[in-house]
Amino acid sequence: MPGSRLKFDSLPHAIFLQRVTAQLPATSLEARLGQGAFLALRLVDLLAPDREPVSPDAFHYQWIATDRFCSELRAAATEGAHVHGIAASAADAHRLSDPRLLAPALLAYAHYLEDAMRFDEALDVLWTLVQVGDARLSSPDAVAVRLRMARVSRKQNRFDEAEAAYVAAGELAATAGDRYSELLSRIGRANTLLGRGNLAEAERCLRAILADARTAGQQDAEARAEHGIGVALHHMGQPADAIPHVWRGFELYEDEESRLRALNDIGIMLLMVGDSVGAERALSEVVRRGATQDNVNNALVELMHCASFRRDRVGFARWRERCEKRAADMPPNIRADYYLKQGIGQARFGQFNKAEALMGWALEVASGAGLHEFEFRIERIRNGLRNCERLLQGELTAAAEPVFDTEELREVSASLAQLVG
């Protein structure tokens, strides 16, 4: 059971009521969305197999009240449509005595909450599906909910919980003969090793998964393994070795969101090896294709970073302005990164007071969202801000001499030029 649930056992789903605070009026849309989610999930609870069956009249009256409240939210926000969909699916599941009908709405809402970085809320929704669906879920849904629980737990650095959920998903997938999901489980466990900092073991596991995915003809799993190897090498300080792997992942992915996420990572890594031109090509393509908001926001922040790396004041100001227009809607991890890299840019242009203030904002955002890795990075950079002239001069040298000394890197650069040309 997720730790977040233990805190609220006295009132299931009370975490959604935390949106109603002294700073947030109970009549605000955000507060009403939280109340709607609470009501919809309490309706779902009536279908749990371990409770006394509720009478048809009692369920009907609770559904009418919930539906009336949630119907008002449906047109007000995307989240409102998710919440209303859960209430509707609960009514269908009750009418047809089929809890499998709950899975699509609950999984979709959990995905939405995960993207919004409301991780505890996402886990609450996923755990509700496990409890209510029990053994009655279809095999694909039983695997999917555990993979999603594992992913959310990993994002919260709850690595023990993540690994347990990945193992459970893998066992269910193996029993069902679902080779693809079994590979996803193994990739998730390797990513958990990455999160724990065991980079060498993560890389070793991902290379083994890559070989198995190729043998099984699972292209998406192969793409994810290639991408993961690149990320591991990147964290090991080997961006030049990482780039070809992430590029192969980009070529293998079939869905656009994954392709553009890989392209965004390639842009970041190319900048690390001093190829600002290639980095800007990759990142500009992400923006041009109009990907998901997170992908576009990440790319805009990195384009601003590229401009300051090249000491391009005009380009830096242009990208900073575009980022600022989106800052209020950025999730905390991207907003913290935006303030940090804007601060780095200001330092590169000699504006150290502005840089220090921006890094203070970045630290505040990261701290408020519990992004501890970000906090450490921001503090380390801010603490060395006043003594960074030598480092900045070193960056200029690196920018003038890109590390394109391998055939694979030259091939990636040429492919990128062709892609955007």
Side-chain angles (χ1 to χ4, degrees):
M1 177 182 293
S4 60
R5 292 277 305 188
L6 297 175
K7 185 178 178 181
F8 300 106
D9 271 349
S10 58
L11 182 60
H13 318 303
I15 189 169
F16 288 93
L17 299 181
Q18 289 188 340
R19 300 192 194 186
V20 185
T21 67
Q23 292 77 34
L24 194 64
T27 56
S28 69
L29 176 59
E30 188 67 25
R32 288 188 293 119
L33 287 168
Q35 292 165 355
F38 172 79
L39 292 172
L41 291 168
R42 291 293 285 158
L43 184 67
V44 170
D45 288 342
L46 297 179
L47 306 177
D50 60 351
R51 63 176 296 150
E52 288 295 323
V54 64
S55 71
D57 284 345
F59 183 91
H60 178 74
Y61 290 133
Q62 187 166 334
W63 174 73
I64 289 294
T66 302
D67 183 67
R68 183 180 300 117
F69 188 93
C70 294
S71 292
E72 298 175 0
L73 302 174
R74 181 174 52 187
T78 300
E79 184 176 0
H82 280 292
V83 169
H84 184 264
I86 291 171
S89 71
D92 291 340
H94 180 264
R95 177 171 53 85
L96 299 173
S97 299
D98 188 355
R100 293 175 298 179
L101 299 175
L102 294 166
L106 288 170
L107 286 170
Y109 186 40
H111 194 171
Y112 171 88
L113 291 169
E114 179 189 342
D115 286 346
M117 297 192 69
R118 294 185 176 275
F119 297 132
D120 282 339
E121 292 181 358
L123 282 174
D124 186 285
V125 173
L126 293 166
W127 187 251
T128 299
L129 180 56
V130 170
Q131 285 187 310
V132 176
D134 194 32
R136 301 174 292 177
L137 291 175
S138 69
S139 177
D141 286 338
V143 172
V145 68
R146 286 164 176 81
L147 285 175
R148 183 66 61 179
M149 288 174 74
R151 177 185 166 99
V152 174
S153 295
R154 179 167 55 83
K155 287 185 175 181
Q156 292 180 293
N157 295 333
R158 295 174 175 171
F159 297 122
D160 289 342
E161 293 176 12
E163 188 165 359
Y166 278 128
V167 169
E171 290 173 349
L172 287 171
T175 300
D178 183 352
R179 185 63 171 141
Y180 172 64
S181 294
E182 192 178 358
L183 288 166
L184 289 185
S185 167
R186 291 173 60 193
I187 291 169
R189 292 165 68 184
N191 287 333
T192 301
L193 289 171
L194 274 176
R196 292 183 189 274
N198 194 346
L199 305 179
E201 180 63 14
E203 183 198 359
R204 187 194 67 77
C205 290
L206 286 163
R207 289 188 184 277
I209 295 165
L210 176 62
D212 290 344
R214 284 175 177 166
T215 300
Q218 295 288 346
Q219 182 172 319
D220 183 73
E222 183 181 348
R224 291 172 187 268
E226 287 279 20
H227 194 166
I229 292 167
V231 171
L233 292 170
H234 166 68
H235 286 303
M236 293 165 74
Q238 302 172 42
D241 295 326
I243 290 167
H245 286 285
V246 183
W247 180 257
R248 283 195 287 274
F250 168 78
E251 292 181 312
L252 288 167
Y253 279 128
E254 294 184 344
D255 67 291
E256 186 74 352
E257 183 177 351
S258 296
R259 284 171 60 83
L260 294 181
R261 189 174 65 251
L263 203 56
N264 191 83
D265 286 349
I266 289 167
I268 294 171
M269 294 174 190
L270 284 170
L271 187 62
M272 289 185 68
V273 299
D275 182 15
S276 60
V277 173
E280 288 184 340
R281 281 175 178 159
L283 296 165
S284 296
E285 186 68 6
V286 174
V287 174
R288 186 188 69 81
R289 292 193 187 188
T292 62
Q293 289 302 306
D294 281 0
N295 273 337
V296 171
N297 287 336
N298 269 320
L300 289 171
V301 170
E302 294 302 331
L303 283 164
M304 178 187 71
H305 196 47
C306 283
S308 71
F309 179 85
R310 293 188 293 101
R311 305 309 191 271
D312 176 4
R313 288 178 179 269
V314 174
F316 176 75
R318 183 174 70 252
W319 293 118
R320 182 188 62 198
E321 184 178 353
R322 290 189 64 175
C323 290
E324 189 61 34
K325 290 178 180 178
R326 294 168 164 262
D329 296 323
M330 290 178 180
N333 61 324
I334 299 178
R335 190 160 69 251
D337 193 42
Y338 162 52
Y339 288 135
L340 171 61
K341 286 175 178 169
Q342 187 186 165
I344 291 172
Q346 295 291 357
R348 284 168 171 166
F349 295 120
Q351 302 295 319
F352 293 105
N353 289 333
K354 286 184 180 179
E356 194 163 5
L358 285 161
M359 291 181 190
W361 294 350
L363 188 60
E364 184 177 329
V365 172
S367 177
L371 303 173
H372 303 306
E373 184 180 348
F374 250 121
E375 289 182 82
F376 298 144
R377 181 148 56 100
I378 294 164
E379 286 178 340
R380 186 176 70 249
I381 294 173
R382 190 171 67 163
N383 289 340
L385 194 58
R386 295 291 177 176
N387 301 313
C388 68
E389 289 188 30
R390 180 178 58 82
L391 293 175
L392 295 180
Q393 182 59 44
E395 277 191 348
L396 283 170
T397 302
E401 300 176 1
V403 187
F404 267 80
D405 54 359
T406 70
E407 183 178 350
E408 284 188 313
L409 283 176
R410 287 191 293 270
E411 286 179 359
V412 171
S413 182
S415 297
L416 263 176
Q418 186 175 8
L419 178 71
V420 303

